[in-house]
Amino acid sequence: MVGFLQHLLNGLLIGGIYALMGIGLTLIFGVMNVVNFAHGQFYMLGAFAVYTIFTLAGVPYPMALIISALLVGLLAAIIERLLLKPIRNEPIDVSMLATIGLSIFLANMVQIIWDPTPKDIGLPFPLQGIQVGPISLTPIRVFVLVSALLIIVASHLFLQRTRVGKAIRATFQDREAAALMGVNIDFIYTFTFSWGAGIAALAGGLLAPIFQVFPTMGAIVTAKSFAVVIVGGLGSFPGAILAGLLLGVAESLGAAYISSGYRDAIAFILIIVVLLVRPTGLLGKEGRVG
Amino acid sequence: MIRPKEQVTRPIQYSMLVVLAAALIAPQVVDDQFVVRLAIQAGVFILLASAHNLLMKVGLLSLGPVAFYGLGAYVSAILTTRYEVSFLPAFLAAGIAATVAGWIIGRLTLRLRTAYFVLVTLGFAECFRLVALNWIEVTNGPMGIAAIPPPAPWFTGYLPYYYFILLLVALVLFGLYCIEHSTIGRGMLALRENEMLAQSVGISSFRYMMLAALLSSFIMGLAGSFYAHFFQFLGPEILVFDLTITIVVMVIAGGRATLAGPVLGAILFTVLPELLRTAQEWRMAIFGLLLMIIMLFMPDGIFPTLHRLALRLIRDRLQRRSQTDAISTLDSELQVLTERKLTLNNELHKALSGTFVTDGSHLSRSNHVGSRVRLRDRSESLLVSKDLCVYFGGVHAVERVDLEVKAGEVLAIIGPNGAGKTTMLNAITGFGPITSGKIWYQDKILNKLQPDELARQGIVRTFQQTSLFLKVSVRDNLVLAHTGSEQATLYTSLFRRDLSRQIQQEAEVMADCILEFIGLKSYGALRAGKLPYGSQRLLELGIALASQPQLLLLDEPAAGLNPAEVNDLISLIGWIRDEGITVVLVEHDMKLVMGISDRVVVLDDGKKIAEGSPDEIRTDDRVIEAYLGKRSEHAPNIES
């Protein structure tokens, strides 16, 4: 039982990170109609930025997180303007291939700049555990879980309450109508991409102290983010959160009780099952397929 | 693309033979093991890219090609190493296993589109990889399968492999070429350009997509088997996502849905990484950068861009040589546009006086436009609906409607906005749901049929919003629309090229007849997207006619037309009826409705409220009430 709770908690922790990846990816798809294959690379860049700013430069960890998210967001904004804006009206596979190219480019540039060996970024908090009943938690894990939840809540409030958030949702519903109502579509596109990339960078920075940091870490995260977005329903914000947590828990329990070799298969099996049984995802709207 | 005129294809065929001959002699001249090995690799990639491209031809992007490639490789490797099966049966088994997998996965996934299809295929490929990695008893897991025998004992060195893959590539490309210039190729093009319209003229998207999936996975399975026996070692790396990316890059950067594009892409992206080897650690970064640049500046792909450039060059040279008789197509298109009004009227008059009915050199108009129509007794009912209901949740869009369409008549369905007219039309043509009730067509029940099946039965519709194959010429729009009614199989496409050619010629003759019929003859070569709006609506009508309907359902054909164009439309619908085609018309334009209909049915709020001749309808109290509203009983009485 204790083991089970421990696995569940670990699952929620990873799930929170998946949810962070998912909300960015799902909004980028919903608003821009871009399947962003470079999403995991922004996660990787976030981790490397934290490694540089926190481990190498010695800036405090929470500060380093915020700086790295802003830097990656800025980079993403530039990429959106230079790469994605010119091909906005092309079929969806063009932008897909462009982001695949971007993904290869980023991973290999990082490999050149920081060398391919995996890196430990060191511990930002003391290691001693906090006992909650029979479960032990390290402070970093508590920090990651709480931060992930805070970012999700903040994003939700941002989308619901602010002017820009409302403009994003309007563009999501109908690009033409939003443009006619005076929404600056160019700005919303750049902002959405940059914001999604920034959150991915935060996710990477948050997990960096728990796992190792290496240039190719983004690819599998991209694939899992797709799973989250599909399972939640393409374009559904609450769906991505739910699916992220679900995937994290399923992987953690699956690896513990079924087979660790097939741990990464769970994401893909979920994609297949959900698309075949309920193509609109858990919380997606009906009638978006076909 | 659709018109392989002798004078165009001949030079291409000769140049293909030259390329083939060069490929045959090349290894004798270039005595470099490294180059021959690279050529073999390029051959495998040509197979993979061309196979993957088959799905692009029907408008589907798959991220799962490695699943079939890997499956073929594993089947062949396991059969030959563990069960001592000889190469040829194992090679064929690999192709068949991949085809079966393609069939199963196709049945599950082919109803998905765009990003959904992309990601589900990615999911399948990754599952295959994880199975290969973890099912150690069968695949030997990460250790892989070693000592896979060569295809035959005399396969020593690279040369035999080179000639083997060359043979495979030549056969596959020839097959794909035949398919492209056949009914199947035209059906695929139609689906890629406009799936809904293609369905409405009888082209089954599931059938063509499944065919593409089966052929594609078969070729990939063969390629996988070849790879296993060439490399003689097989591990789960054959299923990595990077390989999928390589294949997709070859297809899209080369030029998707073209025959030469993936071949060019495969060669380029096999050679390019080798050339970049000198860049060492910068190699993949440069590769990624190149990919972005290609997508930015040549989103169609390299081959179509080169093709366009070449055409422009040739045109410029022609222009310089004699400016008078080689006017650029662009200029002539412009000219055509300015003369539009004049020619349109001319053509209509010509068609009206039946010039080509009596023209002996052409098949007669009635032979072609209404060839399947046996003139029926006017009183006989062609289509009957009984208690037809369509509900969307609580909204009763169509409520217990009984409708009878008599053979040979023009029946108009009118009613205020939201009366359920288009919903009714959708229900009849299979494009929308039926909640309850039945529809009969010549005594057969239609309820369960798909739009393309209905179209092949002779029930064809047009759409409220203009729907064309926008990127192909006006004439080719009609040729494509004819595809649904052509009886051709894969066998015909591959082995009866004479028959293929004959079918195509018939389709072209028919297209010319219809062009004349709808008065768009002078626009034949123009891209449909460049037609003025009024002519686009006429072309829609032509597309419907090209699929040889018996019952034609028109959804607001006059929407957005000016009064002169409505007059043209009225005469056109009259001629269509004279051909023996029954017409059902959903329309708001009262001039059109009253001018052409034999009978009128009025719907309001989902229910049929009146039915009768145009004159009866004009004076019907309920109809007036539905359109103008009822006088309120509580209204103040002015007289008192």
Side-chain angles (χ1 to χ4, degrees):
Chain A
M1 192 58 199
V2 175
F4 176 78
L5 282 177
Q6 195 79 51
H7 291 307
L8 189 70
L9 214 64
N10 282 341
L12 283 177
L13 180 92
I14 303 288
I17 298 298
Y18 288 160
L20 287 184
M21 297 300 292
I23 55 176
L25 193 61
T26 214
L27 269 190
I28 289 173
F29 176 80
V31 171
M32 305 168 65
N33 201 25
V34 167
V35 181
N36 181 20
F37 271 84
H39 209 60
Q41 307 306 341
F42 293 127
Y43 166 93
M44 180 272 296
L45 282 177
F48 268 93
V50 166
Y51 166 73
T52 313
I53 299 168
F54 166 69
T55 314
L56 300 185
V59 177
Y61 178 65
M63 199 59 192
L65 263 182
I66 293 169
I67 297 173
S68 72
L70 289 176
L71 286 177
V72 172
L74 182 68
L75 177 72
I78 297 170
I79 290 170
E80 201 280 332
R81 278 294 153 113
L82 293 182
L83 180 67
L84 297 178
K85 189 165 178 252
I87 54 174
R88 196 174 286 171
N89 296 320
E90 298 292 338
I92 194 168
D93 43 353
V94 173
S95 63
M96 220 181 293
L97 224 63
T99 56
I100 286 176
L102 175 66
S103 157
I104 297 172
F105 177 72
L106 289 177
N108 285 282
M109 285 310 287
V110 166
Q111 195 154 330
I112 291 166
I113 298 171
W114 279 279
D115 83 73
T117 51
K119 290 165 183 58
D120 281 313
I121 81 155
L123 287 170
F125 302 112
L127 196 57
Q128 84 243 41
I130 308 165
Q131 280 306 126
V132 185
I135 312 160
S136 74
L137 284 170
T138 53
I140 180 65
R141 285 178 184 252
V142 176
F143 179 78
V144 170
L145 198 59
V146 172
S147 308
L149 288 178
L150 279 179
I151 296 165
I152 290 170
V153 171
S155 304
H156 176 75
L157 289 177
F158 172 77
L159 282 177
Q160 294 298 323
R161 301 283 164 81
T162 64
R163 233 182 125 73
V164 177
K166 283 176 186 161
I168 290 178
R169 285 190 294 140
T171 314
F172 186 107
Q173 294 288 330
D174 190 326
R175 173 168 133 187
E176 271 74 36
L180 287 174
M181 294 300 126
V183 172
N184 182 347
I185 297 294
D186 283 347
F187 170 74
I188 292 300
Y189 272 46
T190 311
F191 185 87
T192 305
F193 194 73
S194 155
W195 178 79
I199 289 193
L202 278 178
L206 279 172
L207 270 196
I210 299 180
F211 298 116
Q212 284 184 315
V213 174
F214 50 96
T216 50
M217 66 196 271
I220 188 70
V221 177
T222 304
K224 301 238 170 116
S225 316
F226 285 145
V228 167
V229 168
I230 285 282
V231 173
L234 266 177
S236 164
F237 187 87
I241 299 166
L242 185 70
L245 295 174
L246 194 72
L247 178 64
V249 171
E251 278 190 4
S252 177
L253 295 182
Y257 295 109
I258 303 171
S259 153
S260 60
Y262 285 101
R263 180 197 190 105
D264 288 342
I266 291 171
F268 300 109
I269 293 170
L270 269 177
I271 290 186
I272 294 171
V273 171
V274 168
L275 279 182
L276 298 184
V277 177
R278 192 181 151 77
T280 49
L282 293 179
L283 299 183
K285 286 197 203 87
E286 290 282 354
R288 287 181 68 104
V289 182
Chain B
M1 198 189 306
I2 295 179
R3 271 161 285 137
K5 289 270 154 49
E6 289 294 299
Q7 62 268 35
V8 183
T9 46
R10 274 286 149 76
I12 295 177
Q13 281 168 359
Y14 288 140
S15 55
M16 284 294 114
L17 282 178
V18 171
V19 170
L20 189 64
L24 278 171
I25 325 168
Q28 314 296 338
V29 183
V30 188
D31 191 22
D32 184 335
Q33 290 296 300
F34 175 74
V35 174
V36 178
R37 193 191 151 84
L38 205 61
I40 296 171
Q41 232 173 324
V44 174
F45 275 123
I46 290 173
L47 289 183
L48 290 174
S50 301
H52 187 261
N53 188 44
L54 266 166
L55 285 171
M56 295 302 256
K57 276 185 187 292
V58 288
L60 294 172
L61 172 63
S62 155
L63 285 188
V66 291
F68 308 104
Y69 180 54
L71 183 69
Y74 268 106
V75 165
S76 193
I78 291 169
L79 283 179
T80 48
T81 54
R82 206 161 301 164
Y83 301 98
E84 284 164 6
V85 177
S86 58
F87 171 73
L88 213 54
F91 181 66
L92 289 177
I96 290 165
T99 314
V100 171
W103 183 77
I104 294 170
I105 296 177
R107 294 238 21 135
L108 294 172
T109 60
L110 281 178
R111 66 202 166 94
L112 300 171
R113 294 289 179 272
T114 62
Y116 296 89
F117 183 79
V118 171
L119 294 176
V120 79
T121 49
L122 170 68
F124 272 107
E126 282 297 305
C127 284
F128 270 58
R129 184 178 69 84
L130 288 165
V131 168
L133 198 62
N134 288 296
W135 197 14
I136 294 171
E137 304 88 80
V138 174
T139 62
N140 214 13
M143 304 290 295
I145 299 172
I148 302 168
W154 47 271
F155 267 68
T156 49
Y158 290 142
L159 271 190
Y161 290 101
Y162 174 82
Y163 284 111
F164 186 42
I165 195 82
L166 186 63
L167 177 72
L168 266 183
V169 167
L171 284 177
V172 164
L173 289 182
F174 181 70
L176 291 176
Y177 174 83
C178 292
I179 288 175
E180 182 156 316
H181 297 282
S182 74
T183 299
I184 294 174
R186 291 192 292 277
M188 286 177 169
L189 174 61
L191 279 173
R192 185 167 79 243
E193 285 298 319
N194 188 338
E195 188 180 344
M196 195 169 72
L197 180 61
Q199 292 253 54
S200 82
V201 293
I203 298 167
S204 159
S205 54
F206 184 76
R207 188 172 158 249
Y208 281 100
M209 286 178 184
M210 184 53 107
L211 185 67
L214 294 182
L215 283 174
S216 163
S217 42
F218 179 67
I219 298 169
M220 285 184 185
L222 295 185
S225 170
F226 173 85
Y227 170 84
H229 293 273
F230 169 61
F231 209 59
Q232 302 183 0
F233 171 82
L234 179 64
E237 300 78 38
I238 192 174
L239 287 152
V240 290
F241 185 58
D242 288 4
L243 183 62
T244 296
I245 291 180
T246 310
I247 297 170
V248 173
V249 166
M250 287 168 173
V251 173
I252 296 187
R256 63 175 97 63
T258 61
L259 192 64
V263 178
L264 189 72
I267 295 172
L268 196 66
F269 285 96
T270 313
V271 176
L272 196 67
E274 297 303 326
L275 294 180
L276 288 176
R277 240 174 233 292
T278 47
Q280 288 169 359
E281 79 263 32
W282 290 88
R283 188 168 76 109
M284 286 313 286
I286 295 173
F287 183 78
L289 196 65
L290 270 176
L291 184 54
M292 287 189 275
I293 291 171
I294 291 172
M295 284 301 104
L296 268 177
F297 297 104
M298 301 186 246
D300 284 353
I302 298 169
F303 175 72
T305 309
L306 290 180
H307 190 71
R308 258 200 309 277
L309 278 177
L311 279 184
R312 197 173 303 160
L313 266 176
I314 294 170
R315 202 180 60 202
D316 287 353
R317 190 168 297 169
L318 276 178
Q319 229 165 7
R320 236 172 288 138
R321 203 181 292 165
S322 71
Q323 286 199 322
T324 41
D325 47 46
I327 308 163
S328 75
T329 44
L330 217 100
D331 290 344
S332 63
E333 278 171 10
L334 264 170
Q335 215 173 340
V336 162
L337 274 172
T338 49
E339 289 172 5
R340 181 189 163 262
K341 191 71 205 157
L342 227 159
T343 45
L344 183 64
N345 285 342
N346 272 345
E347 291 299 326
L348 278 170
H349 285 131
K350 237 190 279 170
L352 185 58
S353 56
T355 35
F356 63 97
V357 177
T358 48
D359 184 347
S361 67
H362 279 231
L363 291 151
S364 82
R365 178 168 82 184
S366 36
N367 235 349
H368 260 267
V369 178
S371 65
R372 279 204 253 154
V373 181
R374 285 164 287 133
L375 272 178
R376 288 167 167 275
D377 185 1
R378 279 257 169 157
S379 61
E380 200 179 328
S381 47
L382 192 65
L383 183 113
V384 177
S385 85
K386 193 114 185 79
D387 281 339
L388 188 70
C389 299
V390 182
Y391 300 161
F392 297 106
V395 180
H396 294 197
V398 175
E399 176 81 4
R400 298 185 154 271
V401 173
D402 296 336
L403 186 77
E404 188 188 6
V405 183
K406 297 195 174 92
E409 73 173 345
V410 175
L411 173 74
I413 301 178
I414 64 170
N417 277 329
K421 307 180 296 287
T422 298
T423 313
M424 179 95 196
L425 204 73
N426 286 344
I428 294 173
T429 51
F431 279 92
I434 297 174
T435 309
S436 65
K438 286 205 164 66
I439 304 174
W440 286 270
Y441 178 69
Q442 298 176 345
D443 307 326
K444 277 174 289 184
I445 291 183
L446 292 188
N447 291 38
K448 289 270 153 59
L449 295 183
Q450 295 294 311
D452 57 286
E453 295 170 314
L454 289 165
R456 289 196 296 274
Q457 302 259 341
I459 305 177
V460 178
R461 69 169 298 176
T462 64
F463 295 91
Q464 196 168 348
Q465 255 148 16
T466 318
S467 185
L468 301 169
F469 303 115
L470 285 174
K471 285 191 222 149
V472 299
S473 75
V474 170
R475 185 168 178 265
D476 286 349
N477 263 269
L478 301 171
V479 174
L480 289 184
H482 187 259
T483 312
S485 51
E486 290 165 14
Q487 306 284 330
T489 58
L490 187 60
Y491 176 81
T492 326
S493 306
L494 289 177
F495 303 109
R496 294 293 309 275
R497 300 195 54 214
D498 51 327
L499 206 61
S500 271
R501 217 165 289 143
Q502 195 190 329
I503 291 173
Q504 180 172 352
Q505 274 160 7
E506 278 168 18
E508 282 168 1
V509 170
M510 180 267 344
D512 289 333
C513 284
I514 290 180
L515 273 183
E516 188 129 21
F517 189 78
I518 58 175
L520 295 181
K521 200 178 177 193
S522 46
Y523 302 108
L526 196 67
R527 260 169 65 139
K530 289 186 178 173
L531 273 182
Y533 178 76
S535 309
Q536 288 194 346
R537 302 242 52 160
L538 289 180
L539 179 58
E540 277 193 291
L541 220 56
I543 289 172
L545 289 175
S547 61
Q548 312 194 324
Q550 285 175 297
L551 172 62
L552 186 59
L553 300 105
L554 307 175
D555 197 355
E556 300 200 18
L561 296 188
N562 67 35
E565 289 168 330
V566 171
N567 280 335
D568 294 348
L569 186 67
I570 289 179
S571 6
L572 194 56
I573 293 176
W575 300 332
I576 291 173
R577 179 194 37 206
D578 297 343
E579 294 294 338
I581 298 171
T582 311
V583 179
V584 172
L585 189 68
V586 165
E587 191 47 76
H588 275 301
D589 189 308
M590 282 306 144
K591 186 175 148 205
L592 179 64
V593 170
M594 296 305 170
I596 191 80
S597 318
D598 298 311
R599 287 191 311 130
V600 180
V601 165
V602 189
L603 293 183
D604 184 33
D605 209 11
K607 299 182 195 71
K608 184 167 85 175
I609 58 168
E611 184 171 3
S613 71
D615 285 330
E616 289 165 6
I617 294 300
R618 231 188 297 251
T619 54
D620 190 298
D621 286 339
R622 283 165 303 172
V623 177
I624 294 168
E625 190 187 302
Y627 271 91
L628 300 178
K630 194 177 182 178
R631 176 181 287 185
S632 168
E633 284 170 18
H634 303 293
N637 197 332
I638 301 166
E639 281 151 324
S640 65

